[in-house]
Amino acid sequence: MNARSPAPDAQAQIAGLAFGVILIDLAGRIESVNQAGEELLGTSASRLVGKSLGEAIWFEDAIILERVETKLEPLVARGIGLRVGHKALKVNLTVSPLTAYPEWKVLTLSDASRDDWEIAQYDTVAAPAVLAHEIKNPLAAIKGAGQLLARGADADQRALTDLIGNEVARIAGIIDRMQELGSSKPLPLKSVNLHRSVRRALMSVRHRAGTDRVRIVEEFDPSLPKIQANEEALEQALINLLANAYAACEVAEDPQVVVRTRYASGLASLAPGHSRASFLPIEISIVDNGPGVEPSIAGRMFEPFVTSRRGGQGLGLALVRKFVAGMGGAVTHRRDAEREQTIFQIQLARASDDR
């Protein structure tokens, strides 16, 4: 058996990373750039080191550069436009102040073109939406025929006509969700009380579940400002996530769903159709203690028609992503294996008239 080689030091680990790592000082001056950063930016480290970040890299959104250079707090931003020389890029960016070395920050960059591809794939739901529209006319005819048959039906025949009506209603519900998914109509946004929407969603899901077995834990920050949102879309997104959480933890010995709200200042996102990054400081977390989703679909769970639940159509989470994106927000999923918890988080902007 061959002896294992020594573990790589921190410098070797950074050099081997697949995303760009840039070390900057508090004034925003570049100290070092790893190989992946050179390749992503199309510029050698020797041309970047010693320059200020704003001198070396042009940021499409000046607010991002200002935050990077002046704020002593973490920052996460997605879909940020950059230009280095003649090379234009769209990147995902993080900034991490080093607490043990307060005069330094680490900036990471990764290519966001994959995100654009996923958005393009997501937009293909317009085709099923068109198909759904075409299905509705014959479906209405079937419903009408079933109702006519029911008028003269005896008890045995009524069971069959009821079956027709129930199945038509079920299919119509699926079609309605498909049409919502394919709609390109922008959501009207206004100032919304987040906790009122959360409590309405909780009431709806509790009523539908018809059981008190699942314990709900509310961890709300009452000081949160109002958010910029569409109230109806927000409540539907929360209902979908809460219903999934209820269903997921039913098998747990002590099923529990935690609903948490807080202010988290370090996230920014560039939503499709927007030219400037939006800061998304209002965070809603829905946490359940169920077994989590199957690993095979964990990375695709927000795509339409992807589901591991028996009888599920795979439209609920796709609609959540569409609604949240329509409000300029972001939704994420992660599994905390140590605590055996599944966590969905929605990040939204505060209302423009509540600053």
Side-chain angles (χ1 to χ4, degrees), residues 15 35 40 60 66 82 93 108 112 157 189 198 226 304 320 352:
Q35 183 177 342
L40 178 63
E60 188 175 281
E66 181 185 347
L82 304 178
L93 171 153
T108 71
Q157 293 169 332
L189 306 181
V198 172
K226 290 186 177 181
V320 169
S352 55

Side-chain angles (χ1 to χ4, degrees), residues 68-350:
V68 172
E69 290 185 331
T70 63
K71 299 292 184 181
L72 294 176
E73 59 186 26
L75 173 67
V76 178
R78 298 178 61 83
I80 302 304
L82 304 178
R83 186 177 293 277
V84 183
H86 297 294
K87 185 175 184 179
L89 294 166
K90 185 174 284 188
V91 301
N92 297 326
L93 171 153
T94 71
V95 178
S96 303
L98 301 178
T99 52
Y101 299 88
E103 68 275 19
W104 298 102
K105 301 177 187 177
V106 173
L107 174 74
T108 71
L109 301 172
S110 59
D111 189 354
S113 60
R114 173 71 183 179
D115 296 352
D116 289 340
W117 179 86
E118 288 178 350
I119 289 169
Q121 292 295 102
Y122 184 58
D123 285 343
T124 60
V125 299
V130 172
L131 179 61
H133 179 75
E134 295 302 316
I135 291 173
K136 273 199 165 181
N137 288 334
L139 199 63
I142 294 170
K143 179 180 179 180
Q147 290 171 339
L148 286 173
L149 289 172
R151 291 178 183 177
D154 58 28
D156 291 338
Q157 293 169 332
R158 181 62 68 97
L160 293 176
T161 57
D162 287 348
L163 177 63
I164 292 172
N166 292 338
E167 286 301 293
V168 166
R170 184 181 66 83
I171 295 169
I174 295 172
I175 290 172
D176 286 341
R177 291 192 290 276
M178 288 173 65
Q179 287 184 308
E180 280 187 284
L181 202 55
S183 172
S184 58
K185 184 179 179 181
L187 289 174
L189 306 181
K190 65 177 184 178
S191 178
V192 171
N193 183 314
L194 170 63
H195 293 128
R196 183 172 63 187
S197 293
V198 172
R199 289 201 164 95
R200 283 177 178 170
L202 278 168
M203 185 182 300
S204 174
V205 173
R206 280 173 172 147
H207 178 73
R208 294 183 192 186
T211 176
D212 293 326
R213 183 169 178 266
V214 177
R215 184 161 56 97
I216 300 294
V217 179
E218 297 180 359
E219 297 179 359
F220 295 168
D221 179 352
S223 69
L224 289 182
K226 290 186 177 181
I227 58 172
Q228 190 78 359
N230 178 283
E231 202 163 19
E232 184 178 340
L234 174 62
E235 289 176 17
Q236 187 58 59
L238 291 170
I239 286 169
N240 288 1
L241 291 178
L242 287 165
N244 283 354
Y246 258 75
C249 68
E250 281 179 340
V251 297
E253 184 176 340
D254 178 23
Q256 174 180 286
V257 174
V258 178
V259 185
R260 181 181 301 122
T261 63
R262 73 181 188 113
Y263 194 93
S265 63
L267 181 73
S269 180
L270 187 68
H274 293 70
S275 60
R276 293 175 63 85
S278 298
F279 289 94
L280 309 174
I282 312 301
E283 181 180 278
I284 313 119
S285 300
I286 296 175
V287 185
D288 72 74
N289 62 346
V293 301
E294 295 178 5
S296 60
I297 68 165
R300 302 173 51 232
M301 59 194 316
F302 290 104
E303 296 177 17
F305 314 114
V306 174
T307 183
S308 61
R309 189 165 52 175
R310 182 175 296 178
Q313 289 95 36
L315 294 174
L317 289 180
L319 279 170
V320 169
R321 182 169 72 168
K322 178 178 176 60
F323 289 151
V324 172
M327 294 182 281
V331 59
T332 58
H333 156 267
R334 64 186 174 89
R335 176 69 181 173
D336 186 334
E338 184 177 347
R339 297 183 181 181
E340 298 185 339
Q341 293 178 336
T342 298
I343 304 163
F344 283 87
Q345 288 180 328
I346 295 175
Q347 280 92 16
L348 294 168
R350 62 186 298 172

